[in-house]
Amino acid sequence: NRDVRRPVRAGVFGSLLRRGLGANAGGRAGTFAAYSTKPSAPSRAAGLRGGWKSEVIPAKDLQDLQTAIEADSAKRDKALEIGRRVERACGEYVNTLHYGEQASVTTAYNQAKLDLEAHLEAVPHVTGCREFGLGFAVDRYILSGAFEHFLEKGEGLRRSDLGQNFDDEEYMGGMMGLCQELAHYAMRRATDLDVKSVQVCTNFIKEVKSEMLAFDLRNSPLRRKFDGIKYAERRCENILYELSFARDAALETSSGLEPEAKRQRRDEEETSMMSAAGMLDADEWQELRKAYKEYDQKRELVIKECRDVQKGAKQAIYAAHRGDTTRAEKLIKAGGEGVSRIFESYIKDSPSLRFGSFNGALEELAEAQMFLYWLKHVKENQNDDEHTTPDASAASLLPTREQMCSGLLDHMDYLGALSDFTGEVGRGGGGGGPPPGGAGGPSAPPKPQNEPHRQAHVQNAPLQAQATPAQEEKKQTGMLGGLFNAGISFIKDVQQRMRENDNKRNS
């Protein structure tokens, strides 16, 4: 879903979000507000004679989610407006630099630069976490500045000239974009037989390529930009090759054969230009490589450790489905300690590492915590008989956002975990109880030797026929007893709220 910038999983809550947030930009916040306010009193479904005694989802968490989405939407719209203006102004400025007519758009370009710089100063930038809508605008901003600097001084823009509001990868991307632009510039200069300018452009592209070859680039936009340098270099080399014929033909036509001394001097100048280097700061690029390598190593460690957290969370859900709450709690506790350790060791100093594996680990762990909490409290919210003691202190059937993942869950991770949780409710709703031989259930009878093909049926049939009244009561009132009806009631409540909101909107 492009409004929440995260795929919303299948399920009723996913449908709720798609209908609530998938509208146009003007109405998505208001539409979602109707869904995310405090839930109305749920209906009483069959099998839940006493009805719900608690809210399904904490009202405060839904309100916080709505507020966060509205704030993100406002920030995104503002960033998109500035980004479009900067992108258009920088594109026009780069185009005029090719023709030497930049004075015609200097005013608009300078104003766009001021707007972007003011926005970057007002909104603190986190390394690697560029605002949505500003990514391409920042790339064009760096490209235009680097192109202008190259035409004035014949060298590459230094990383230190950009300041701390820009990332290393954005700087490298801008320099590689400059290589593409210089290939076009070299073609224009070749029409005037300006060999020197074409040679300087070629030398710069070769030097950038040489520096980038020392990076161990992963599959990313930066790697794809690097692939384009090879074609820019080849284009410039072809232009130089063709110029060698065109210039000789022009000289011979205008003044006959070129004198040997003049030809020798020209060849020496071209040789010196081809061997010229130093248009980039080698020490600065060495620091860039070092920082990139360290970041990549931390990224690999985060992926590896998050994989263990996700695996444990999935096993916790598996254990919860089968009534083994002890093992599920143990795995969830280990997962909480794991995400805390990952955050303190890597994410705290490099917030951009949060996106990807760490977000996925948080969502999976929160889903496991929600599902286990739901299983524990769904029985407490039933009033089946006098033996059931409802938990009056339970404010909702799900834990609050602060209670999950050691308090590291942000609103978008919470949204994804809540969507996935509804899938677990539907998956566990039809079970009716723990499987034979599992935790909380009786042992399976011996398999008959003469009917191996009916193994699955024989395992379940004797359980229904031989179950004692105590076992039957345990099955009905255990952790998974009544979960199917509870899930149906939860889904019906959400659907009812959707219908009510549709009626209000239509009227």
Side-chain angles (χ1 to χ4, degrees), residues 75-87:
K75 289 170 58 179
R76 183 171 61 252
D77 291 343
K78 182 178 179 181
L80 281 171
E81 179 184 356
I82 296 175
R84 293 191 190 100
R85 188 163 62 250
V86 171
E87 180 185 337

Side-chain angles (χ1 to χ4, degrees), residues 34-319:
Y35 295 136
S36 60
T37 53
K38 184 175 180 179
S40 58
S43 60
R44 298 187 178 186
L48 295 175
R49 283 172 270 174
W52 295 112
K53 295 182 177 296
S54 305
E55 298 172 343
V56 176
I57 305 173
K60 181 180 181 300
D61 286 343
L62 284 176
Q63 185 63 39
D64 292 343
L65 181 61
Q66 173 193 348
T67 303
I69 290 178
E70 290 175 349
D72 285 350
S73 179
K75 289 170 58 179
R76 183 171 61 252
D77 291 343
K78 182 178 179 181
L80 281 171
E81 179 184 356
I82 296 175
R84 293 191 190 100
R85 188 163 62 250
V86 171
E87 180 185 337
R88 181 171 58 253
C90 290
E92 292 176 353
Y93 190 71
V94 168
N95 188 56
T96 57
L97 285 175
H98 284 281
Y99 299 91
E101 302 172 352
Q102 58 269 30
S104 60
V105 296
T106 299
T107 302
Y109 173 67
N110 290 335
Q111 183 60 47
K113 286 176 61 178
L114 291 175
D115 292 343
L116 178 62
E117 292 167 0
H119 179 76
L120 296 179
E121 290 293 336
V123 181
H125 174 60
V126 179
T127 303
C129 305
R130 178 64 62 194
E131 286 184 86
F132 177 76
L134 286 183
F136 193 70
V138 167
D139 184 70
R140 300 298 294 180
Y141 172 85
I142 297 175
L143 169 60
S144 61
F147 191 25
E148 183 181 29
H149 183 85
F150 178 82
L151 295 180
E152 290 178 357
K153 300 184 178 181
E155 62 181 15
L157 182 70
R158 294 173 59 89
R159 168 67 181 89
S160 56
D161 294 338
L162 289 176
Q164 299 301 317
N165 286 329
F166 300 91
D167 299 335
D168 291 346
E169 293 194 18
E170 291 174 338
Y171 166 74
M172 291 186 287
M175 298 303 289
M176 287 187 286
L178 176 60
C179 292
Q180 299 286 344
E181 208 64 45
L182 289 181
H184 297 292
Y185 179 76
M187 177 65 74
R188 282 193 48 78
R189 299 311 305 156
T191 58
D192 294 334
L193 300 181
D194 187 358
V195 180
K196 182 177 179 180
S197 295
V198 177
Q199 186 65 65
V200 170
C201 292
T202 306
N203 291 343
F204 179 83
I205 295 174
K206 287 179 178 293
E207 194 166 347
V208 173
K209 178 185 175 183
S210 176
E211 294 289 352
M212 292 303 302
L213 281 172
F215 285 81
D216 184 14
L217 296 175
R218 56 184 177 273
N219 190 20
S220 65
L222 203 63
R223 176 57 184 265
R224 290 188 285 274
K225 286 185 178 181
F226 171 70
D227 292 338
I229 297 181
K230 298 178 292 185
Y231 302 105
E233 180 188 19
R234 179 64 178 272
R235 191 182 310 169
C236 289
E237 289 176 344
N238 290 339
I239 293 173
L240 284 174
Y241 177 73
E242 294 169 0
L243 277 177
S244 65
F245 295 101
R247 186 181 57 176
D248 291 343
L251 290 174
E252 291 176 3
T253 301
S254 60
S255 58
L257 295 176
E258 184 178 10
E260 183 64 27
K262 187 175 181 180
R263 181 186 297 273
Q264 184 177 0
R265 186 170 60 253
R266 175 173 60 83
D267 292 341
E268 291 176 356
E269 291 177 356
E270 292 181 358
T271 303
S272 64
M273 284 190 297
M274 292 182 67
S275 61
M279 286 186 281
L280 298 176
D281 189 332
D283 294 335
E284 192 173 65
W285 279 81
Q286 179 66 27
E287 293 296 325
L288 290 174
R289 281 193 295 272
K290 181 181 178 181
Y292 187 89
K293 183 178 180 180
E294 292 176 353
Y295 179 85
D296 207 46
Q297 290 174 347
K298 293 173 65 175
R299 176 176 171 270
E300 292 296 329
L301 292 173
V302 169
I303 292 174
K304 180 180 179 181
E305 296 190 23
C306 286
R307 191 180 297 120
D308 297 334
V309 174
Q310 282 186 300
K311 179 180 177 181
K314 291 180 182 295
Q315 291 176 345
I317 295 174
Y318 183 85

Side-chain angles (χ1 to χ4, degrees), residues 6-19:
R6 183 170 303 232
V8 179
R9 262 67 67 183
V12 174
F13 196 79
S15 174
L16 170 70
L17 289 174
R18 284 194 295 273
R19 297 182 65 180

Side-chain angles (χ1 to χ4, degrees), residues 435-466:
S443 301
K447 303 175 184 178
Q449 301 296 325
N450 56 346
E451 293 184 358
H453 62 281
R454 298 185 59 192
Q455 173 182 343
H457 299 285
V458 173
Q459 284 183 345
N460 294 328
L463 176 64
Q464 298 175 359
Q466 300 177 7

